[in-house]
Amino acid sequence: MSDTPFGFGLPPEEPENGDEGKKKDPAGGGQGSGGQGGGNPFGANPFGFGGLPGMGGQGGADNPFAAMFGSLNPNDLGAAFQQLGQMLSYEGGPVNWDMAKQIARQVVAQGTADGTKDASVGPAEKSAVEEAVRLADLWLDGVTSLPSGASTAVAWSRAEWVEATLPAWQQLVDPVAERVGSAMGDVLPEEMQAMAGPLIGMMRSMGGAMFGQQIGQAVGALAGEVVGSTDVGLPLGPAGRAALLPLNIEAFGKDLGVPSDEVRLYLALREAAHQRLFAHVPWLRAHLFGAVEGYARGIKVDTSKLEEAVGQLDPTHPEQLQEALQQGMFQPEDTPEQKAALARLETALALVEGWVDAVVHEAAKSRLTSADALRETLRRRRASGGPAEQTFATLIGLELRPRRLRDAARLWASLTDARGVDGRDGLWEHPDMLPTATDLDDPDGFVHREHLDFSEIDKMLGEAAKGDAPEDGDGKE
């Protein structure tokens, strides 16, 4: 459980296109108003309330809108107030996703800490990605019985990755945001809720905006690190579309001492392998997202702390609510259901990542001289909690870390030796056929254990049903 889920902070200002970019910024945050700069999208200064030009005091702490308007010139104030009105009038779901997208795009436009700016993908890069995925699928055909799952191969810029993956982030984050938003409106006594109707509506609008700000920052920061659409072990992009980010692949391979075409091809193998699983194991996506949602349902909000925070909230200091949110208001529900959801998710992620690791290594080891080095680099990046896992932990307090990736990879390799490719991949036919967390402790026992063949059971049931059917139309024997 992350210590600071939803650490709502505003991004530093980086307009996409001069003054026009400022007008598009729904939060209007700027470095001149106390932003943390592009290197820390999760700044410890929530809302970054700096002072307005010409106003006295230490940073204008008495003015809660200084962060929004402090860096704007007088000609922009009208647009800024209009944006504030739009934010307060938001009536959508628990997260203002329009705001999240705009802020994510703004964070992407700033570039990464190393000074790399996002750029459109050129024809040569698109061709290189398409060729890498095509070759990767050809190599994978010889090491797995699952056919290709990528109908198209695309090369994305960071901004395109944001646009393509936001629907999946919405599915993952909305359940938690909904619980928090409901709690914010329920802390008032019932007899006061009718009287405070407009206030509750405003709180929920502000909550949607705060969630949107934080998620936008996190997704924008993540876009500067990911190399494809499956970095967190979940299918974040559209189905059937293998995606790679050439700019981030270049940054990833910069200090590895490995030829860039080998790095691209190895990452294409991983992306294509993920796509095969998600395309041809129909229950897998729902299983993974359902485990995340099940875990989210167990997260509770400490309403006593929220009541105290709301009761003491100074309208001129809305950052106080943010501080309260960061002080342990989210706690894991220590119930069997919660533990089961977490165990199911961690095991499923380990099995997915372990299978991908095993089949990619089998496909690459005799063809790429750098296969072993790239495998170890990606194992460490994935299992130790890289940027993708850290971002998700910030969003909903859940670490998407396949802690037992190496154990799972060894188990899948042992299954290949013992049962062949078809026997190994056949376990994906039904979730009940997959190894459990206990099986990862005893891989040899699982490998040599007899398993039920669900296809044979279905066949037997079908034959039994035919045997019970009447021989003629009137039901007579």
Side-chain angles (χ1 to χ4, degrees):
M1 194 67 159
S2 172
D3 291 333
T4 58
F6 292 111
F8 311 119
L10 287 172
E13 180 182 358
E14 180 68 26
E16 295 180 21
N17 185 19
D19 290 341
E20 183 64 21
K22 293 179 182 178
K23 294 176 183 179
K24 291 179 182 179
D25 175 14
Q31 291 174 343
S33 59
Q36 296 298 312
N40 182 9
F42 312 116
N45 179 14
F47 293 100
F49 292 128
L52 281 169
M55 295 186 67
Q58 299 296 320
D62 292 334
N63 188 341
F65 303 113
M68 293 183 177
F69 308 139
S71 63
L72 300 179
N73 62 54
N75 294 330
D76 290 327
L77 285 176
F81 277 111
Q82 182 179 8
Q83 292 157 9
L84 176 62
Q86 292 172 348
M87 182 175 68
L88 293 178
S89 62
Y90 172 72
E91 296 180 351
V95 178
N96 188 330
W97 286 101
D98 290 337
M99 177 176 288
K101 181 169 73 172
Q102 291 185 44
I103 291 179
R105 292 290 298 264
Q106 186 184 39
V107 172
V108 164
Q110 295 170 357
T112 51
D114 62 1
T116 304
K117 295 282 188 177
D118 193 23
S120 298
V121 179
E125 292 172 317
K126 291 181 180 179
S127 178
V129 166
E130 291 171 355
E131 176 62 21
V133 173
R134 185 197 66 78
L135 185 57
D137 259 335
L138 183 63
W139 289 3
L140 289 171
D141 283 340
V143 296
T144 174
S145 62
L146 299 180
S148 174
S151 56
T152 58
V154 293
W156 283 341
S157 67
R158 293 166 179 171
E160 288 173 325
W161 182 89
V162 168
E163 295 277 354
T165 62
L166 272 179
W169 289 116
Q170 183 172 357
Q171 184 177 352
L172 292 165
V173 173
D174 268 353
V176 177
E178 180 66 44
R179 292 181 63 81
V180 178
S182 298
M184 290 175 68
D186 293 341
V187 295
L188 293 177
E190 185 174 350
E191 61 272 14
M192 292 182 61
Q193 289 190 19
M195 299 172 58
L199 175 60
I200 293 174
M202 185 180 73
M203 288 177 62
R204 287 179 173 164
S205 296
M206 289 295 291
M210 290 191 296
F211 288 140
Q213 290 164 1
Q214 171 63 12
I215 293 166
Q217 290 176 37
V219 172
L222 181 57
E225 302 283 352
V226 295
V227 295
S229 70
T230 55
D231 281 37
V232 298
L234 298 171
L236 295 179
R241 190 172 300 176
L244 295 176
L245 282 71
L247 184 61
N248 292 354
I249 291 176
E250 181 182 354
F252 170 79
K254 184 177 180 181
D255 299 321
L256 296 180
V258 176
S260 59
D261 57 340
E262 288 199 17
V263 175
R264 184 192 308 113
L265 184 50
Y266 194 87
L267 295 175
L269 282 165
R270 289 182 54 82
E271 178 74 10
H274 278 103
Q275 293 295 335
R276 290 185 181 226
L277 265 186
F278 294 129
H280 299 293
V281 183
W283 54 265
L284 183 57
R285 178 186 174 93
H287 181 76
L288 289 168
F289 279 74
V292 174
E293 186 173 351
Y295 183 86
R297 282 196 300 267
I299 295 176
K300 67 178 181 180
V301 178
D302 189 335
T303 55
S304 64
K305 289 187 178 181
L306 187 55
E307 289 173 1
E308 182 180 356
V310 173
Q312 298 178 357
L313 183 63
D314 182 348
T316 64
H317 292 83
E319 72 273 17
Q320 292 175 354
L321 182 57
Q322 153 66 8
E323 293 170 357
L325 288 170
Q326 290 185 333
Q327 293 173 359
M329 200 172 292
F330 295 88
Q331 297 295 334
E333 189 75 58
D334 190 19
T335 65
E337 293 79 12
Q338 179 75 356
K339 292 178 180 178
L342 181 58
R344 185 168 68 251
L345 177 61
E346 289 185 342
T347 301
L349 286 172
L351 292 175
V352 168
E353 295 295 279
W355 184 89
V356 168
D357 179 275
V359 299
V360 167
H361 182 67
E362 187 65 25
K365 65 181 182 181
S366 63
R367 297 182 173 100
L368 297 178
T369 57
S370 58
D372 288 339
L374 288 170
R375 183 190 202 189
E376 186 60 27
T377 298
L378 285 161
R379 277 182 166 187
R380 292 180 179 180
R381 184 177 190 254
R382 187 69 186 93
S384 63
E389 179 269 323
Q390 292 168 9
T391 297
F392 199 87
T394 302
L395 289 179
I396 69 167
L398 176 64
E399 294 180 345
L400 279 178
R401 186 180 303 176
R403 302 176 188 276
R404 307 194 65 180
L405 184 154
R406 294 175 188 270
D407 293 336
R410 282 194 292 269
L411 187 147
W412 288 119
S414 296
L415 282 167
T416 307
D417 294 339
R419 305 185 186 184
V421 168
D422 291 342
R424 177 200 66 199
D425 293 347
L427 294 178
W428 289 105
E429 292 180 3
H430 194 281
D432 289 344
M433 297 175 67
L434 287 177
T436 64
T438 302
D439 293 323
L440 294 179
D441 296 327
D442 181 22
D444 289 338
F446 179 84
V447 168
H448 299 292
R449 186 187 312 156
E450 292 294 329
H451 294 275
L452 291 175
D453 186 336
F454 280 79
S455 61
E456 288 299 320
I457 293 178
D458 290 341
K459 182 179 178 181
M460 291 171 58
L461 291 174
E463 292 175 350
K466 289 180 181 179
D468 292 339
E471 293 185 359
D472 54 39
D474 58 8
K476 296 179 180 179
E477 296 289 334

